[in-house]
Amino acid sequence: MPMFLRALAVRARHIGVAATALAGVALSACQSILDVDFPGQIPTEQLDDPGLAPVMVQSVIGDFECAFATYASVTSIHSDEFESATLLQTTAVWGERNLSADNGDYAGSGCALDFGLQVPMHTARYQANDVYRRLQGWSDAQVSNRSIAMATVRAYGAYTYLFFGETYCSVAFDGGPEQAPSTALAIAEQQFIEAVALAQQANATDILQLALTGLARVKLDLKKWAEVAALAQQVTAGSETLTQRGTESMRRHNKLFRIANQTSAFTVADAFRNLNDPRVLVANANRPSSIPSVPLWITTKYPALNSPNRLASYREAQLSLAEALAQQGQVVPAMTILNSRRAQVSLPALTATTQAEAVTNVIEERRRELSFEGGHRLNDLLRYKLPWKVGTSPFTLRPYGTTSCWPMPTSERAGS
Amino acid sequence: MRSLLPIAMAVVLTAGGHVLEAQEPGYHTAGTTLAQSGQWVRARESRSALLQRRVSLNLTNVKLSRALEEIARQAGLKIGYSGEVSRSPVKVSLRSDDFTAIDAIGHVLDGTGFEPFVSLRGDAVLVSAIPLEPEAPQASGRVSGTVTDAKTGLPLQSAEIVLEGTTWRGMTDAGGKYQVGEVTAAAYTMTARRVGYTKGSRSVRVSDGTDVTVDFALEQAALNLEALVVTGTADQAQQRTLGNAIGRLNVAENIVVAPPSKLQDLLSLNVPGVRVLRGSGEVGTGGVTQIRGAGSLSLSNEPLVYIDGVRSNNVNAQANQGYRGGFASPSRINDLNPEEIESIEVLKGPSAATIYGTEASNGVIQITTKRGKQGRPIYEMHSGAGATWLMNPEGRYPTVHYIGRDGAIHDYRPLELSASRGERPVFTTGGSYALGGNVSGGSERLRYLFSADIGRDEGYLSYNWQNRYAAHANLSYSSSNDKVKLDLGLGMMRSKARGASGNNTVVTRAFVSPCSLLNCEPDPANPNTTGWNGPSRGFNPSNRPEDYDHIFAYDNNDRTVFSLTIRHNPMPGFRHRLLVGPDFTNNFSSNLVERVPADRVPVPVLGDGFTGTTEYRATFLTLDYGASADWSMTKSFIATTSAGVQYYHRLSQQVTAEGRGFSIPGPAGLSGAATVTTAESYVENKTLGVYAQEQLAYKNRLFLTGALRADDNSAFGESFNAVYYPKFALSWIASEEPFLANSNLVSQLRFRGAWGRAGQQPSVFAAIQTYQTVLQRTGQSGITPASIGNPDLKPEVGEELEVGFDAGLFKQRFGIEFTFYNKKVKDAILSAPLKPSTGFPGTQLTNIAMTRNRGIELAIDGAPIRSRNVGLDLRFTLATNDARIIDLGSRPPTFRGFAFVSQWDVQGFAPGAYFYKRVVSSTIEKRAVGGVQLPIGTNAMCEGGTDLGHGDGTVVSCAQAPRIYTGKPTPSWYGSFSSTVSLGKRLRILGLVDYVGGLRQMVSDIFTAHTARFTSRAAVEGDPVLSAYVGRLLLNGDLSNAGAAGLMKAGFAKLRIVSASYDLPERVARWVGASRGSITFSGENLVILWREQKTSFGEPWVDPETVGNISSGFAPGLVDNVLPQAARFRTVVRLTF
């Protein structure tokens, strides 16, 4: 072998030994030397601890409440309760029925932001299912009040499916295929049934009322009138479930207050002003909206950032009952329920002689009683194909779009 | 009188012998007389293997004997020397990593009168004095003088002075001065030489008993292949050995000619391929640095920055309350004080930066701070003062147009209106002040440099300023045998700035959104208190210029950088070093927006008052060990083997608290806010890498390098263990081949090529599925999904091929550096939208894309005129960049814009390219908007073609029209041209133009004027194209396409610097006790020579450089609320004592 090549071979051997030694030292140290801290970031594996169950249950509720804050405000704006009062198109689109599948806020924004909807609702849904699965895997000895915990996460999780079923044109879950919204309603129905059973088993009254009201709502959507009536009648007088709100974090804000009162971008629509109905809480704010020439009208149902939203209530259940009765032709009992409530707030009684009139009255009472609450009005517009606002938006002067149910975001189809 | 050396044996060296202090005439070595050791031949003609051993020298002003000792030590020889040698006054300076022993001995002995000989057996070397003249007393005189840089006038240390044909020689000290004593009276030719400069020759006649002064002003060599490079190499290396083009910037020289306001301003003007998008003209902010384009789609495209080998904080857009709300933000690289920097080296891509491993894909910038030089203490002081102003504000900001109640179009100019009322000027002239100095010096063993600087810069808005304090200490130690060397550096910087963009730039907003429609015009019912006669006075109602009196935005920054380097040469041919150093950043920023008084139009959201504070702490820790060994394989082949381990630890913590809602106008704090929100972040990352490199050198003119780096990183996914980066490089010094050795045309010619890889690590938490804690319910913290993670995630791999050549022509008067590069980013990480139904927020990073940046870099240096009184130096640089997404995997195009900024990542186009529907025509109709009849384009027609592709020239309805490629946010070409005229010995005048082109920016200010405020002439008059965008926005809610109204070609050429520097006559310097001094007058940003596009539909863009300093993930082409570049004038006086 020539000297040059021999030298190269020797050198290569030396390099190899040196490199191997260095790499060996380095990589053997790798496992510990590359460990890093993640304060504030919790690897998923850390959640495999039954001792964390109470925190997880509260987290399910917290994520739901955050998503519901957006849902309550956006459904209100998208229905006929609010009008856009800003020229900023990205904001005005919510009141102009111009929701695009590409809308970044709608599809991608987080829970703390004004219009973060899709991701937060799925996060709440995922959390509920995930924690429910974990609770199933743990024993009663490991988790105290495990049945109550399971009933709670099941009920809140069922509500997320309910909202997907009520409002979306199509749905997909956990990265799965696109499906009809009825799929979501079916899951909601099943999960509410489980929640009711678990709550009854654990004698958890509050959760039971929530689950019963929610289950009645699903049955309403599914037009299972008899079952609606049976369930609604089980909801006890005065019961209601409120979502907590707070000022400490944007996640916990009441967004109906924030969006209308603080950004001044939406104003209560004419159809909800001057109704002389104490249940429709609106007022002239006596200041301009984002469009200086447009006065700002706000809902006084939520006087502060930390005013709670109502998720479910005996009054909702009574309206569900009235609707179910009306739909089954029981006009008088239905009107009795409505007029009983109207008498409470000193409004004159309504009359109806036909089933259609009774149903119309129910829808109108729902419009007032449940105004600015939890998507009921939008659901009614969709369920009964009520007339949408059409023509030109009165304040932005732009034509209304054609959005009715909400489209599946492009990111759901194209995302990873 | 100095006697000439007699014919005598002076030094004896033996292969295995001993150091001898030999006594003439008989030498004994190991018991053998010299006469017995064999016959002698000139060593330069010998083929002895001993003499071909490689040595690495870094000698400064050392005695002959010590230089010979060092060579012998490294080559494995023992040395002895006679009294003549040890007594010789000759001092030697020599720096090179790649000498053979005989070459090194030759360089040391050149001109000394000593000649090396080697025995025929090759086992002994001796040095003999050569007879020059008879030893006899003669008349003599003394020659002294100064050697300076002809271009800058700066003194040159370590320049060698030789009286040709004699043994007399001298060496310049740190002040550039030399002295040669007892020179025999006669006529001589004197030459001055220094690495990096062309040789200077002068004739001199020495008379008995006289002192003669001979000064040299050396011209910089157009090409300097001998320059030492410390970046991207396993050890110090000469540029000739590298296969890459290394950007080099002599900061110490540049700041004398043109003092910069911040470090980033220096970078892009001199190094082809490096571009700093300066962004805002706001004091305290920085810009985006890009080298050879931007290839990463989701990660940072900023290069790594090292200070004296320590990886440093280079966050280019740090979240900062002091600049909250705007698109301008500080760049931490500007924390460094240019006065403390000696030089900067730039590695431009993966092929050069391979041994820096993961994170180095975007290139590396190595900053070397000043070091003390051997000699007596030298005191340098500089003092500067200047002014900063906005050039021609009236001409920059647009006229406001509006449709009046009479239906006619009216206009007004807010600035002129304000001035006519005698109101407080919006723009003022800010001051600029600097004072600093350093002391340096030391012995042969210990050198030192201490420096301190203070400064204040004021912007053209009275409330925008920055105070800076900096101190630096460097110590360099060499052991007595030169085996151990220590370098210790400690730099501390503190600054406080008041930002002008906290919660949006008031001034910018004041102009771009002054009013809307009828709000501009005074109401006839109350003409003195409405419209431009109202409280807003024609400015934006919510952002009047003086409103900043009620916004207090501060940025406080402390930075400490420490470095310790230990170099050890334990045996000949082997050296290793250990470097350790942290870089600490402590930043505290705050912002207070007072509650708006009741009589004011409320600022949206912040009208009730806002306060925010952010504390940011970052630590970068570097541990770097490397070793190199040389080995002579044959006479012609030398191998150098290197290996090393590097460990980097990066940790940043940030806590933010914000409060809103104060009870009354005026000062307030967090504790008084109605709502308080807090946030925190903690990011930690560690990298461990090992590398090995082998370099083969053939006859010191052909170099082949191969290297391999292996990295593991805490951010890699669980399924991914380590990454390997290989590299190959070739450098051939063709001009030293026999066929070119004597060329009159080509002084130096080098061909080079390199291929290599380096990485770009993903975000720290990207690989791990995580939850985060949040406030879930009242008083209860909970958890929520945070990141879905990607266990398969691995780093992006930058792969680059570059080839080129360097040529020094016409005796180094002209130089050409040419490079072609092709850089690909493989496994490019795409921030793919996550399916919302997964339940996790945000996006998921996946390695699926590939991008390419390809182009050339050219630098031409020339000195066409060189005479005693006039000199002209020219430099021209040009870089091109063709950026393209080669592959997006199976993904559809990805939107990466923002609302009206329609930017997309589309295969076949540049990252972040703009795609808009291109309106061709429309029908103008008047529609009632905001109380006036606004012209709106209906029935708009657009160009047809492929959606997210190219247009085809057909015309279709805009409703069905495709979004067509409309440009890209990154430059296609950029560079600079500078000219330095030297008049006489003391005056130098510099002019520098830099230019850029081929990019577009989406200018929010213009977009707003056209389509949201309707204050542009085109909007109120009804332009058939513009009004179509307006129409589609108002009638169809098509916000994204309306952005086309604000899309601007952002190319420009600016006369960036004009300066005149004058070296003070010594007698003037002596007035203040100084040995020398200079004064520099410089102006910056004085003239925009060319703009690729001045207006969009008639609406002017205040400055084509107003680029937002934003993170890579956001719409990279959006410009919003950015202040134009300031014009500056400065005077700097420098004195050396």
Side-chain angles (χ1 to χ4, degrees), chain A residues 365-384:
Chain A
E365 287 302 286
R366 283 175 58 86
R367 180 173 90 93
R368 295 164 180 249
E369 182 74 55
L370 305 177
S371 58
F372 313 110
E373 280 185 19
H376 296 288
R377 178 60 182 166
L378 179 59
N379 192 27
D380 288 352
L381 293 174
L382 288 164
R383 283 194 303 145
Y384 284 97

mmCIF file of all heavy atoms in Angstrom, chain A residues 365-384:
data_model
loop_
_atom_site.group_PDB
_atom_site.id
_atom_site.type_symbol
_atom_site.label_atom_id
_atom_site.label_comp_id
_atom_site.label_asym_id
_atom_site.label_seq_id
_atom_site.Cartn_x
_atom_site.Cartn_y
_atom_site.Cartn_z
ATOM 1 N N GLU A 365 -92.354 33.032 22.562
ATOM 2 C CA GLU A 365 -91.989 33.076 23.985
ATOM 3 C C GLU A 365 -90.541 32.638 24.198
ATOM 4 O O GLU A 365 -89.834 33.173 25.045
ATOM 5 C CB GLU A 365 -92.941 32.177 24.790
ATOM 6 C CG GLU A 365 -94.328 32.749 24.952
ATOM 7 C CD GLU A 365 -94.308 34.101 25.622
ATOM 8 O OE1 GLU A 365 -94.089 34.178 26.845
ATOM 9 O OE2 GLU A 365 -94.463 35.124 24.896
ATOM 10 N N ARG A 366 -90.113 31.667 23.437
ATOM 11 C CA ARG A 366 -88.706 31.250 23.516
ATOM 12 C C ARG A 366 -87.804 32.403 23.085
ATOM 13 O O ARG A 366 -86.736 32.618 23.667
ATOM 14 C CB ARG A 366 -88.457 30.019 22.623
ATOM 15 C CG ARG A 366 -88.951 28.705 23.212
ATOM 16 C CD ARG A 366 -88.795 27.550 22.220
ATOM 17 N NE ARG A 366 -87.432 27.341 21.771
ATOM 18 C CZ ARG A 366 -86.537 26.598 22.417
ATOM 19 N NH1 ARG A 366 -86.897 25.966 23.520
ATOM 20 N NH2 ARG A 366 -85.315 26.458 21.956
ATOM 21 N N ARG A 367 -88.207 33.132 22.041
ATOM 22 C CA ARG A 367 -87.411 34.259 21.554
ATOM 23 C C ARG A 367 -87.190 35.260 22.680
ATOM 24 O O ARG A 367 -86.113 35.828 22.822
ATOM 25 C CB ARG A 367 -88.114 34.926 20.377
ATOM 26 C CG ARG A 367 -87.376 36.121 19.783
ATOM 27 C CD ARG A 367 -88.052 36.605 18.518
ATOM 28 N NE ARG A 367 -89.066 37.626 18.755
ATOM 29 C CZ ARG A 367 -88.831 38.947 18.705
ATOM 30 N NH1 ARG A 367 -87.638 39.395 18.425
ATOM 31 N NH2 ARG A 367 -89.807 39.811 18.939
ATOM 32 N N ARG A 368 -88.229 35.480 23.477
ATOM 33 C CA ARG A 368 -88.130 36.485 24.534
ATOM 34 C C ARG A 368 -87.494 35.904 25.807
ATOM 35 O O ARG A 368 -86.570 36.477 26.365
ATOM 36 C CB ARG A 368 -89.524 37.021 24.856
ATOM 37 C CG ARG A 368 -90.127 37.781 23.676
ATOM 38 C CD ARG A 368 -91.628 37.983 23.840
ATOM 39 N NE ARG A 368 -92.213 38.703 22.722
ATOM 40 C CZ ARG A 368 -92.701 39.945 22.799
ATOM 41 N NH1 ARG A 368 -92.691 40.592 23.941
ATOM 42 N NH2 ARG A 368 -93.225 40.517 21.742
ATOM 43 N N GLU A 369 -88.051 34.778 26.221
ATOM 44 C CA GLU A 369 -87.601 34.205 27.496
ATOM 45 C C GLU A 369 -86.126 33.815 27.436
ATOM 46 O O GLU A 369 -85.368 34.008 28.385
ATOM 47 C CB GLU A 369 -88.457 32.965 27.818
ATOM 48 C CG GLU A 369 -88.129 32.305 29.132
ATOM 49 C CD GLU A 369 -88.634 33.098 30.325
ATOM 50 O OE1 GLU A 369 -89.823 33.388 30.384
ATOM 51 O OE2 GLU A 369 -87.804 33.462 31.193
ATOM 52 N N LEU A 370 -85.729 33.245 26.326
ATOM 53 C CA LEU A 370 -84.369 32.712 26.213
ATOM 54 C C LEU A 370 -83.475 33.625 25.373
ATOM 55 O O LEU A 370 -82.469 33.175 24.829
ATOM 56 C CB LEU A 370 -84.417 31.305 25.604
ATOM 57 C CG LEU A 370 -85.314 30.289 26.335
ATOM 58 C CD1 LEU A 370 -85.345 28.959 25.587
ATOM 59 C CD2 LEU A 370 -84.838 30.091 27.768
ATOM 60 N N SER A 371 -83.884 34.882 25.266
ATOM 61 C CA SER A 371 -83.079 35.792 24.446
ATOM 62 C C SER A 371 -81.660 35.913 25.011
ATOM 63 O O SER A 371 -81.453 35.932 26.218
ATOM 64 C CB SER A 371 -83.753 37.174 24.403
ATOM 65 O OG SER A 371 -83.915 37.694 25.710
ATOM 66 N N PHE A 372 -80.713 35.991 24.091
ATOM 67 C CA PHE A 372 -79.279 36.142 24.426
ATOM 68 C C PHE A 372 -78.778 35.003 25.324
ATOM 69 O O PHE A 372 -77.927 35.194 26.172
ATOM 70 C CB PHE A 372 -79.022 37.506 25.101
ATOM 71 C CG PHE A 372 -79.675 38.657 24.383
ATOM 72 C CD1 PHE A 372 -80.753 39.337 24.942
ATOM 73 C CD2 PHE A 372 -79.211 39.050 23.134
ATOM 74 C CE1 PHE A 372 -81.356 40.386 24.271
ATOM 75 C CE2 PHE A 372 -79.811 40.101 22.456
ATOM 76 C CZ PHE A 372 -80.901 40.771 23.023
ATOM 77 N N GLU A 373 -79.373 33.832 25.150
ATOM 78 C CA GLU A 373 -78.972 32.684 25.963
ATOM 79 C C GLU A 373 -78.664 31.503 25.069
ATOM 80 O O GLU A 373 -79.519 31.082 24.302
ATOM 81 C CB GLU A 373 -80.086 32.272 26.931
ATOM 82 C CG GLU A 373 -80.197 33.098 28.174
ATOM 83 C CD GLU A 373 -81.246 32.534 29.123
ATOM 84 O OE1 GLU A 373 -81.593 31.353 28.969
ATOM 85 O OE2 GLU A 373 -81.718 33.279 29.992
ATOM 86 N N GLY A 374 -77.489 31.011 25.144
ATOM 87 C CA GLY A 374 -77.135 29.665 24.714
ATOM 88 C C GLY A 374 -77.600 29.159 23.371
ATOM 89 O O GLY A 374 -77.774 27.954 23.191
ATOM 90 N N GLY A 375 -77.844 30.012 22.405
ATOM 91 C CA GLY A 375 -78.116 29.539 21.058
ATOM 92 C C GLY A 375 -79.526 29.081 20.804
ATOM 93 O O GLY A 375 -79.809 28.483 19.766
ATOM 94 N N HIS A 376 -80.442 29.360 21.730
ATOM 95 C CA HIS A 376 -81.820 28.890 21.525
ATOM 96 C C HIS A 376 -82.458 29.566 20.321
ATOM 97 O O HIS A 376 -83.151 28.925 19.532
ATOM 98 C CB HIS A 376 -82.663 29.163 22.777
ATOM 99 C CG HIS A 376 -82.193 28.402 23.971
ATOM 100 N ND1 HIS A 376 -82.357 27.044 24.126
ATOM 101 C CD2 HIS A 376 -81.548 28.813 25.098
ATOM 102 C CE1 HIS A 376 -81.845 26.640 25.278
ATOM 103 N NE2 HIS A 376 -81.343 27.701 25.892
ATOM 104 N N ARG A 377 -82.218 30.851 20.181
ATOM 105 C CA ARG A 377 -82.863 31.552 19.079
ATOM 106 C C ARG A 377 -82.338 31.053 17.734
ATOM 107 O O ARG A 377 -83.102 30.821 16.800
ATOM 108 C CB ARG A 377 -82.611 33.068 19.214
ATOM 109 C CG ARG A 377 -83.203 33.913 18.092
ATOM 110 C CD ARG A 377 -84.717 33.762 18.007
ATOM 111 N NE ARG A 377 -85.303 34.522 16.911
ATOM 112 C CZ ARG A 377 -86.547 34.354 16.471
ATOM 113 N NH1 ARG A 377 -87.361 33.453 17.038
ATOM 114 N NH2 ARG A 377 -87.003 35.082 15.457
ATOM 115 N N LEU A 378 -81.033 30.880 17.644
ATOM 116 C CA LEU A 378 -80.466 30.374 16.387
ATOM 117 C C LEU A 378 -81.016 28.971 16.104
ATOM 118 O O LEU A 378 -81.339 28.633 14.960
ATOM 119 C CB LEU A 378 -78.935 30.348 16.471
ATOM 120 C CG LEU A 378 -78.209 29.827 15.230
ATOM 121 C CD1 LEU A 378 -78.550 30.667 14.003
ATOM 122 C CD2 LEU A 378 -76.703 29.816 15.448
ATOM 123 N N ASN A 379 -81.131 28.189 17.136
ATOM 124 C CA ASN A 379 -81.658 26.840 16.962
ATOM 125 C C ASN A 379 -83.088 26.881 16.437
ATOM 126 O O ASN A 379 -83.476 26.098 15.564
ATOM 127 C CB ASN A 379 -81.596 26.103 18.304
ATOM 128 C CG ASN A 379 -81.847 24.607 18.143
ATOM 129 O OD1 ASN A 379 -81.580 24.036 17.086
ATOM 130 N ND2 ASN A 379 -82.377 23.986 19.181
ATOM 131 N N ASP A 380 -83.863 27.814 16.959
ATOM 132 C CA ASP A 380 -85.251 27.933 16.493
ATOM 133 C C ASP A 380 -85.306 28.364 15.030
ATOM 134 O O ASP A 380 -86.128 27.887 14.251
ATOM 135 C CB ASP A 380 -86.012 28.930 17.359
ATOM 136 C CG ASP A 380 -86.297 28.360 18.755
ATOM 137 O OD1 ASP A 380 -86.036 27.146 18.965
ATOM 138 O OD2 ASP A 380 -86.741 29.117 19.629
ATOM 139 N N LEU A 381 -84.422 29.326 14.661
ATOM 140 C CA LEU A 381 -84.397 29.766 13.262
ATOM 141 C C LEU A 381 -84.106 28.582 12.348
ATOM 142 O O LEU A 381 -84.692 28.447 11.267
ATOM 143 C CB LEU A 381 -83.332 30.850 13.065
ATOM 144 C CG LEU A 381 -83.585 32.196 13.750
ATOM 145 C CD1 LEU A 381 -82.372 33.112 13.587
ATOM 146 C CD2 LEU A 381 -84.823 32.880 13.167
ATOM 147 N N LEU A 382 -83.209 27.739 12.801
ATOM 148 C CA LEU A 382 -82.823 26.596 11.977
ATOM 149 C C LEU A 382 -83.883 25.502 12.019
ATOM 150 O O LEU A 382 -84.234 24.923 10.984
ATOM 151 C CB LEU A 382 -81.474 26.034 12.470
ATOM 152 C CG LEU A 382 -80.255 26.907 12.162
ATOM 153 C CD1 LEU A 382 -79.056 26.478 13.015
ATOM 154 C CD2 LEU A 382 -79.887 26.813 10.684
ATOM 155 N N ARG A 383 -84.413 25.242 13.193
ATOM 156 C CA ARG A 383 -85.362 24.134 13.335
ATOM 157 C C ARG A 383 -86.649 24.413 12.566
ATOM 158 O O ARG A 383 -87.186 23.549 11.892
ATOM 159 C CB ARG A 383 -85.716 23.935 14.814
ATOM 160 C CG ARG A 383 -84.650 23.221 15.622
ATOM 161 C CD ARG A 383 -85.210 22.773 16.958
ATOM 162 N NE ARG A 383 -85.765 23.882 17.729
ATOM 163 C CZ ARG A 383 -86.818 23.776 18.518
ATOM 164 N NH1 ARG A 383 -87.453 22.628 18.617
ATOM 165 N NH2 ARG A 383 -87.274 24.810 19.201
ATOM 166 N N TYR A 384 -87.097 25.632 12.689
ATOM 167 C CA TYR A 384 -88.398 25.958 12.090
ATOM 168 C C TYR A 384 -88.244 26.712 10.779
ATOM 169 O O TYR A 384 -89.225 27.188 10.224
ATOM 170 C CB TYR A 384 -89.229 26.772 13.085
ATOM 171 C CG TYR A 384 -89.799 25.899 14.195
ATOM 172 C CD1 TYR A 384 -89.156 25.810 15.416
ATOM 173 C CD2 TYR A 384 -90.943 25.164 13.985
ATOM 174 C CE1 TYR A 384 -89.651 25.012 16.431
ATOM 175 C CE2 TYR A 384 -91.454 24.359 15.000
ATOM 176 C CZ TYR A 384 -90.804 24.272 16.222
ATOM 177 O OH TYR A 384 -91.306 23.474 17.206
#
